Amino acid sequence: MEWKEILGRLLTNKLSLFGLIIILFFVLVAVFAPFLAPPRSPEDAYEIPRAGWQVEPQPPREGYPFGTAQGSYDIFYGMVWGTRTAFRIGVIVVGLSSFIGISIGTISAYYGGKIDEFFMRITDVFMSIPFLVAAMVLTTILGKGLDNVMIALVTFGWMSTARLMRSQVLEIKNEEFVQASIALGAKDHRIIFKHIIANCIFPVLIQAFMRMGSMVITASALSFLGVGAPEGYADWGQMITFARDWILGGQGSALKYWYTVVIPGAAIMFFSLSWNLLGDAFRDILDPKLK
Amino acid sequence: MVNYIIRRFLILPFILFGVTVLVFSMIMMLGPYQRLSTYINDPAQLKGQDMDELVSKYGLDDPWYEQYGRWIGGVLQGDFGWSESAGQPVTEAIFSRFPATLELALFAVIPVVMGGIWLGVLSAVHHNQKFDHIIRIVSTVGWSFPTFVFGLMVLMVFYGVLGWFPPGRLGADAAAIVRSAEFIQYTGLNVLDGILNLEFGVVVDSFRHLIGPIVTLAIVWWSYILRITRSSMLETLRKDYIRTARAKGVAEKFVINKHARRNALIPVVTVAGPMVLGLLGGVVIVESVFGYRGIGQYAAQAAQQLDYSGILGVAMYFSFLLILINLIVDVSYAVIDPRIRLE
């Protein structure tokens, strides 16, 4: 199936169109962040400015359209610049871990035998520690900070891609056109890049879409658990941490501080939802019988 | 099948060894002083000695393989070091919290599996009808919802506004009963112990505290199981033997319940592995959101307070558990599905 046709179908499917629109919205917010929320100093653009020294969250008002969180952090600013953080985490983590997974999966399946056994057992070992706990341990050891969160997520995030890629390559390796080019004496790298990877990439791409959302969720969960972004860094998970002590509301109303949870929560949810919708629609196009 | 199971057991020691090497290599990223806590069992062991003395006493500047040998020797005896954040040895800290987490996991798995399968089958049977569309959308949204955000919202509405499901594990009254001398803690699971001691107040109170965490854990995994069941069921319903059954005039109810569902559920068994993997991560988040005193909350607290031996100990115990469950899943899958034995 050609790229143009796939894109055409993604645009005609209501759900994936919705997903695409949300992603486009987040992309625009990320690109125009300096105009939407001008930083006080350009060097520390990811440092959320504080409206004052009040500890208690304050509702939306003039100049602070989403209100301020605990410690007077500007929620609007955190959301806008947090979009950039989300994309950075998603693209870097999914990109790097997919690259590792594709390489290991392809090499394992293509060469088979002892090499396959070796890589697959390593994959098993890495999969034997629950992902979130493993990421938590490594981030704790490396120290707080988004770079370390990303290192941890890549270290423990490549295995599902490796397994998927391996099963894809195993299937396609025996197809006639691959066997034909082996018989013709084509070089390994030519067969791998020209025939195998090109024909196995779609399922991996679908998985990568799905992982965009889940990686951003995990990164924000790490921030929420207190091992992610340092305090005051523009990150959606961090915004939820600010809300944590205030969810039970205060005098007069239990929902008094709703904006501290609902706004960043909705951002994370919609970000993840949009990638999932896109991945779902993609899968339906490629494998229509499961629609 | 026997070959498959034997092979599965043969790689087990390798994986266990691999996990310990992996965890140990993370320990080695720490400096010698930070590593110290994974070697001692009591802070008294540190008293009156300066750091350099301690480093050479515990061999923390030896070559890594000697250190690994010493460390694994301790681990095999259940020695994971001293946990600063819990104020007790790591193994004790984990085992004292184990019943709480087990109780939560047990009560979460039941609604997840039952509900997920039921809705997945319904959704497949009503393929492309309104019900199916609604289920698909709801499950996609559920799958995209971050656990901690959902948990906080549950707390906000069901505790903050309605006052139904408080955080924590027990209320003050029930906790007093559980701690009293007459109350015998047979299992450590409060619901079960409450029934055995005929203290139904404890049972009710436990459930009030469990419902929030259960719903939060369930919502994500329920979406997951539902999707797998649905696609497996859709595939099965297209099989020839289903068409044969319908052509023979078998009632639709029997076609779905007897012929299709049984076979459609085979692949669902494989998700047990990923589900346990996700639940073990999920309890960390859910327990810390709800202040539910279990292993997950301990892990989060240890990570925040840089209690390295604590968090490493949780990782080790969780991976042993995961390896064990994966083994059970793989073996039972080979028993259930004859096709797998050929591989």
Side-chain angles (χ1 to χ4, degrees):
Chain A
M1 202 174 288
E2 288 305 315
W3 284 101
K4 251 188 191 163
E5 195 186 342
I6 291 175
L7 193 67
R9 292 221 208 161
L10 285 178
L11 289 173
T12 47
N13 179 320
K14 256 184 265 166
L15 286 178
S16 64
L17 185 64
F18 181 60
L20 276 173
I21 291 173
I22 304 174
I23 293 174
L24 193 68
F25 170 76
F26 280 126
V27 169
L28 290 176
V29 170
V31 170
F32 293 107
F35 302 101
L36 291 168
R40 284 191 190 163
S41 64
E43 300 94 64
D44 300 332
Y46 288 97
E47 191 64 32
I48 307 173
R50 305 171 79 154
W53 300 104
Q54 247 169 330
V55 177
E56 198 186 328
Q58 301 295 320
R61 58 188 184 277
E62 178 90 48
Y64 298 96
F66 290 164
T68 47
Q70 166 185 314
S72 295
Y73 286 106
D74 181 356
I75 297 180
F76 180 76
Y77 189 94
M79 299 312 300
V80 169
W81 286 84
T83 315
R84 281 195 174 192
T85 308
F87 273 110
R88 201 171 65 208
I89 294 171
V91 171
I92 292 179
V93 170
V94 173
L96 282 180
S97 61
S98 299
F99 176 75
I100 298 174
I102 289 173
S103 313
I104 290 186
T106 311
I107 293 172
S108 286
Y110 187 74
Y111 293 105
K114 286 216 173 89
I115 294 177
D116 184 28
E117 189 71 19
F118 174 74
F119 278 124
M120 281 306 108
R121 292 299 79 79
I122 289 193
T123 310
D124 287 345
V125 167
F126 274 80
M127 281 186 113
S128 295
I129 308 181
F131 178 53
L132 184 81
V133 177
M136 241 170 98
V137 176
L138 194 51
T139 321
T140 310
I141 285 176
L142 294 173
K144 248 187 179 193
L146 267 189
D147 293 340
N148 292 337
V149 167
M150 287 193 272
I151 292 173
L153 292 180
V154 172
T155 308
F156 291 101
W158 53 270
M159 294 85 75
S160 53
T161 310
R163 281 194 170 178
L164 178 66
M165 193 66 193
R166 177 176 173 272
S167 65
Q168 290 292 317
V169 175
L170 279 181
E171 239 171 73
I172 218 151
K173 206 173 88 175
N174 294 322
E175 298 265 336
E176 273 166 14
F177 68 93
V178 178
Q179 292 300 328
S181 43
I182 294 175
L184 283 172
K187 294 252 162 49
D188 277 358
H189 65 87
R190 186 183 159 82
I191 299 172
I192 289 178
F193 286 106
K194 198 102 200 201
H195 297 302
I196 294 185
I197 292 190
N199 282 294
C200 295
I201 207 68
F202 279 127
V204 175
L205 210 58
I206 294 172
Q207 196 199 37
F209 278 153
M210 305 284 201
R211 289 188 327 126
M212 276 295 277
S214 67
M215 284 298 180
V216 169
I217 287 186
T218 311
S220 53
L222 288 175
S223 289
F224 174 76
L225 291 171
V227 295
E231 187 176 332
Y233 194 90
D235 167 69
W236 292 342
Q238 167 98 235
M239 304 305 294
I240 306 243
T241 319
F242 289 150
R244 204 175 169 173
D245 295 335
W246 306 91
I247 44 162
L248 297 182
Q251 292 156 323
S253 166
L255 296 176
K256 195 172 172 190
Y257 306 112
W258 63 272
Y259 48 89
T260 58
V261 186
V262 172
I263 293 172
I268 302 176
M269 201 276 272
F270 276 111
F271 188 86
S272 158
L273 178 68
S274 59
W275 291 102
N276 284 338
L277 286 174
L278 212 58
D280 259 359
F282 219 143
R283 179 166 42 204
D284 289 348
I285 291 169
L286 295 172
D287 191 2
K289 70 177 197 280
L290 294 183
K291 198 178 175 184
Chain B
M1 180 175 72
V2 177
N3 275 342
Y4 173 82
I5 292 175
I6 289 175
R7 205 186 108 77
R8 190 66 186 71
F9 270 94
L10 281 179
I11 62 174
L12 191 64
F14 178 85
I15 294 188
L16 286 171
F17 173 70
V19 167
T20 59
V21 171
L22 184 59
V23 170
F24 184 73
S25 55
M26 290 199 276
I27 294 181
M28 290 305 278
M29 289 178 195
L30 295 166
Y33 300 147
Q34 294 167 310
R35 283 208 297 277
L36 203 52
S37 67
T38 52
Y39 288 88
I40 58 165
N41 280 317
D42 191 338
Q45 284 171 279
L46 299 178
K47 266 195 194 117
Q49 302 180 44
D50 68 39
M51 274 299 189
D52 295 329
E53 226 174 283
L54 285 166
V55 165
S56 61
K57 183 178 169 193
Y58 290 96
L60 296 175
D61 42 10
D62 289 349
W64 63 269
Y65 46 88
E66 282 179 30
Q67 292 194 46
Y68 174 77
R70 221 170 295 125
W71 176 77
I72 197 77
V75 165
L76 289 175
Q77 293 167 30
D79 243 347
F80 288 83
W82 176 261
S83 169
E84 196 62 49
S85 67
Q88 60 193 133
V90 173
T91 303
E92 254 174 57
I94 288 176
F95 276 92
S96 70
R97 289 163 175 81
F98 178 70
T101 301
L102 181 68
E103 187 167 30
L104 173 58
L106 282 181
F107 281 112
V109 163
I110 297 165
V112 165
V113 173
M114 304 288 276
I117 290 177
W118 182 63
L119 286 169
V121 170
L122 270 186
S123 191
V125 171
H126 297 270
H127 184 211
N128 273 343
Q129 293 169 16
K130 209 172 197 177
F131 179 79
D132 183 33
H133 290 311
I134 293 171
I135 286 289
R136 282 191 79 189
I137 292 171
V138 172
S139 75
T140 309
V141 173
W143 183 240
S144 310
F145 230 113
T147 316
F148 58 105
V149 175
F150 193 82
L152 286 175
M153 286 181 175
V154 168
L155 261 186
M156 190 160 88
V157 174
F158 290 96
Y159 180 56
V161 179
L162 300 168
W164 292 350
F165 310 133
R169 192 172 173 212
L170 282 176
D173 296 343
I177 298 175
V178 170
R179 272 196 226 102
S180 67
E182 297 91 65
F183 191 92
I184 308 163
Q185 290 190 301
Y186 298 99
T187 57
L189 310 181
N190 286 335
V191 172
L192 214 58
D193 287 349
I195 295 172
L196 292 172
N197 284 288
L198 302 176
E199 286 284 0
F200 295 104
V202 174
V203 179
V204 172
D205 192 63
S206 300
F207 269 121
R208 281 185 61 196
H209 288 86
L210 275 169
I211 286 176
I214 289 174
V215 169
T216 310
L217 269 180
I219 206 84
V220 174
W221 293 98
W222 167 81
S223 312
Y224 183 68
I225 293 212
L226 183 158
R227 281 161 166 240
I228 309 268
T229 315
R230 179 179 174 277
S231 53
S232 168
M233 189 73 185
L234 279 180
E235 215 169 314
T236 311
L237 283 175
R238 288 197 182 85
K239 291 268 161 71
D240 286 343
Y241 70 90
I242 296 293
R243 196 184 311 148
T244 311
R246 281 184 178 148
K248 278 196 306 189
V250 177
E252 186 64 16
K253 203 173 83 183
F254 284 104
V255 175
I256 303 291
N257 292 342
K258 298 277 172 196
H259 296 243
R261 195 173 56 192
R262 277 196 183 179
N263 286 304
L265 286 187
I266 293 174
V268 178
V269 176
T270 46
V271 308
M275 198 180 99
V276 171
L277 185 90
L279 279 179
L280 288 177
V283 290
V284 177
I285 295 173
V286 166
E287 284 182 4
S288 44
V289 168
F290 287 90
Y292 183 92
R293 203 171 164 278
I295 300 176
Q297 190 229 26
Y298 169 58
Q301 169 199 326
Q304 274 163 25
Q305 300 180 14
L306 299 184
D307 171 7
Y308 300 112
S309 44
I311 179 90
L312 287 159
V314 172
M316 289 292 284
Y317 274 105
F318 271 12
S319 36
F320 289 153
L321 193 66
L322 189 64
I323 291 169
L324 182 74
I325 290 171
N326 273 333
L327 182 74
I328 296 171
V329 170
D330 284 358
V331 170
S332 52
Y333 194 53
V335 174
I336 298 171
D337 189 352
R339 282 168 301 184
I340 196 94
R341 296 169 206 166
L342 299 173
E343 281 175 24

